[in-house]
Amino acid sequence: MSSAFATSDLDALGALLDGCAAAAGPWAALPPGARAAAIRHVADELDAASSALVPIAVDETHLPVARLNGEVVRTTSQLRLFAEVLEDGAYLEVTIDHPDGGWPSGPRPDVRRMLTPLGPAVVFAASNFPFAFSVAGGDTASALAAGCPVVVKAHPGHPRLSAATAEVVTAALGRAGAPEGTFALISGEDAGRAAVVDPRIRVGAFTGSQRGGRALWDLAASRPDPIPFYAELGSLNPVFVTPGAAAARCDEIVAGFVASYTFGAGQLCTKPGLLFVPAELLDIDVVADAVRSVAAAPLLNEHIRTGYDAVLSALRAHPAVRTVVDGSDGEAPSPTLLATTAAELLTGRADLLVECFGPASIVVTYDDEPELLAAAAAFDGQLTATLHALDDDPAAPILLDLLSRCAGRVVWNGWPTGVSVTWAMQHGGPWPATTTPTTTSVGTAAIGRFVRPVAYQGVPDALLPAGLQEANPLRLPRRVDGHLELP
């Protein structure tokens, strides 16, 4: 099974997509356990190749070795978790209704429903996680687990790492018995756009900027046959601190905030971009001292640096914003800390509620609880929102309700950076955090983006998919006549 790598050669892309389409049926037809074994083999091969892959990542991304080694572990653990999802089988949502002549709404026929793969997927890799959100990252893992062949559009920020990782993935799938065409890598904006509109592609996923993701989402919707396109686009991730929490542990909150927004040089989509604190309980000089203690770090690439400088410059120039710590403008920027008030933020929200992807954040002081609640109600869709409060804070239930309306994940007395890959994790949110608020790009529920339901009515048992047959040969959990049955 050879790896295919196309740039702007659209003829080569066509041949690659032919192979992907040809693999769709055989890959989807494999029993879940067989796909699980193949995905585990990919994880094993990536672990074995990490000593060769990590130095390439260091050279291309400027990220430290320890961070990248941890990211490899996250990537392979994620693959193995999706293998568990396949073996568990509940993701298929198998539901069987036997015939019932006395059904209240009229005689019920034999209806059997389960989820089935959408078909070939195009995945756009991210720059800030060169392993975990890239070639073999969460979108690829969940799509492969669902039974969809995957074409990954490489991120230009780490092209050599992308090619090397793709070689490992392709070879591992081939040795595990996956059909030719199950996985391939492409590069270049033209090839990426062409893949989105190609009729052989049935679903897409993206992690990156709002501008880029929105353009691809619009492109997917403009097709004669529109396809689902799941884009994770970024977030401000506001943090709200009640007076009770500030009085009880202000120093701890300050330390956590600074560590969170400067981690990875602020190049995480869950970086806290704003900290709301009571004016009378915060010494901004304490925050400033903590920020100044953080060393400068290079950004991932020139494109990110250019965007960071532009947004930061606009924020600094805003009349409602005060620069508390002016980070260095050298090759490796040190963290910047800005400040404003809740009243000024609410007045200038169109200019101030913008993501600054890099090591900068804004401290927002408020005067009283009504101002805090008004600020919490001002946000549109976010990946996360965080509340630092006491258990008996009277405002806590109101704030939790407000934050749950705008955010996909609400964090209590913690920090949003560090998205654990788990069964319950939600990494998504209303627009503009994502294009589809009902899904997640992290956690086992991410597999749901790449499947669709099909119901079979009155089909003879022998002709049904194995998962719907009466004898349950795949030993799947199923809901039968309204009752959950475990194998």
Side-chain angles (χ1 to χ4, degrees):
M1 187 180 195
S2 61
S3 175
F5 190 88
T7 54
S8 57
D9 185 346
L10 299 187
D11 290 335
L13 175 65
L16 183 154
L17 293 177
D18 279 341
C20 188
W27 179 244
L30 286 177
R35 287 205 303 274
I39 289 170
R40 280 201 179 95
H41 191 59
V42 172
D44 293 343
E45 292 294 301
L46 285 170
D47 279 336
S50 64
S51 60
L53 296 175
V54 167
I56 302 174
V58 171
D59 183 56
E60 289 192 313
T61 69
H62 311 299
L63 293 172
V65 171
R67 152 77 190 270
L68 291 166
N69 281 331
E71 200 179 316
V72 172
V73 172
R74 171 182 171 145
T75 303
T76 57
S77 298
Q78 186 167 241
L79 286 160
R80 294 185 179 100
L81 182 59
F82 276 107
E84 291 183 37
V85 171
L86 290 172
E87 291 168 340
D88 173 84
Y91 82 97
L92 290 168
E93 298 181 7
V94 176
T95 308
I96 296 174
D97 290 334
H98 289 110
D100 184 353
W103 192 248
S105 60
R108 185 178 75 188
D110 186 288
V111 181
R112 298 167 185 242
R113 179 186 188 272
M114 67 183 295
L115 300 180
T116 190
L118 277 168
V122 59
V123 166
F124 288 77
S127 64
N128 57 336
F129 283 88
F131 290 106
F133 280 83
S134 190
V135 171
D139 289 341
T140 297
S142 51
L144 287 174
C148 299
V150 175
V151 174
V152 176
K153 189 271 181 186
H155 195 280
H158 46 268
R160 290 188 294 115
L161 176 65
S162 298
T165 304
E167 291 289 347
V168 174
V169 173
T170 308
L173 286 171
R175 284 191 286 269
E180 182 82 21
T182 298
F183 176 86
L185 186 73
I186 63 175
S187 72
E189 291 186 5
D190 289 344
R193 286 192 295 266
V196 169
V197 298
D198 192 282
R200 288 161 289 196
I201 292 294
R202 307 312 305 161
V203 60
F206 170 92
T207 300
S209 71
Q210 182 175 331
R211 183 178 63 84
R214 177 60 190 260
L216 292 170
W217 184 41
D218 289 344
L219 199 60
S222 74
R223 291 171 42 143
D225 57 338
I227 59 170
F229 192 86
Y230 302 105
E232 187 248 278
L233 306 173
S235 182
L236 292 168
N237 309 299
V239 178
F240 300 86
V241 182
T242 66
R249 47 191 178 83
C250 191
D251 290 347
E252 176 189 328
I253 291 170
V254 166
F257 164 66
V258 173
S260 186
Y261 98 75
T262 61
F263 179 75
Q267 299 169 107
L268 278 69
C269 55
T270 53
K271 179 201 79 175
L274 300 112
L275 178 72
F276 290 84
V277 288
E280 74 277 8
L281 294 175
L282 179 77
D283 184 347
I284 195 69
D285 291 334
V286 173
V287 188
D289 288 343
V291 172
R292 292 189 185 100
S293 70
V294 179
L299 300 188
L300 289 162
N301 52 61
E302 188 58 35
H303 178 74
I304 287 178
R305 178 62 191 266
T306 299
Y308 171 69
D309 287 344
V311 175
L312 182 57
S313 177
L315 288 172
R316 281 172 169 159
H318 196 282
V321 173
R322 176 167 61 98
T323 300
V324 179
V325 177
D326 195 354
S328 68
D329 292 327
E331 183 176 342
S334 57
T336 290
L337 181 68
L338 307 175
T340 188
T341 67
E344 290 172 312
L345 183 81
L346 292 170
T347 300
R349 55 181 295 184
D351 297 322
L352 299 181
L353 295 183
V354 293
E355 182 182 25
C356 187
F357 195 75
S361 192
I362 305 175
V363 171
V364 185
T365 54
Y366 64 88
D367 292 328
D368 51 31
E369 183 179 298
E371 200 168 57
L372 175 62
L373 296 178
F379 285 87
D380 53 14
Q382 304 293 319
L383 294 172
T384 76
T386 298
L387 177 59
H388 282 267
L390 304 179
D391 289 358
D392 58 356
D393 263 330
I398 303 171
L399 284 165
L400 286 172
D401 178 61
L402 288 171
L403 300 183
S404 68
R405 297 180 192 182
C406 72
R409 177 164 59 107
V410 180
V411 181
W412 174 268
N413 287 344
W415 298 99
T417 45
V419 184
S420 183
V421 183
T422 70
W423 292 83
M425 181 52 64
Q426 172 63 27
H427 188 63
W431 175 266
T434 70
T435 55
T436 312
T438 56
T439 64
T440 179
S441 62
V442 178
T444 59
I447 197 172
R449 298 172 297 167
F450 301 100
V451 291
R452 67 179 181 89
V454 177
Y456 296 82
Q457 181 172 324
V459 176
D461 191 73
L463 299 179
L464 287 166
L468 294 177
Q469 292 174 5
E470 196 69 19
N472 194 10
L474 298 181
R475 306 291 296 162
L476 298 171
R478 313 194 299 185
R479 185 168 294 280
V480 180
D481 295 333
H483 302 287
L484 182 63
E485 293 185 356
L486 302 178

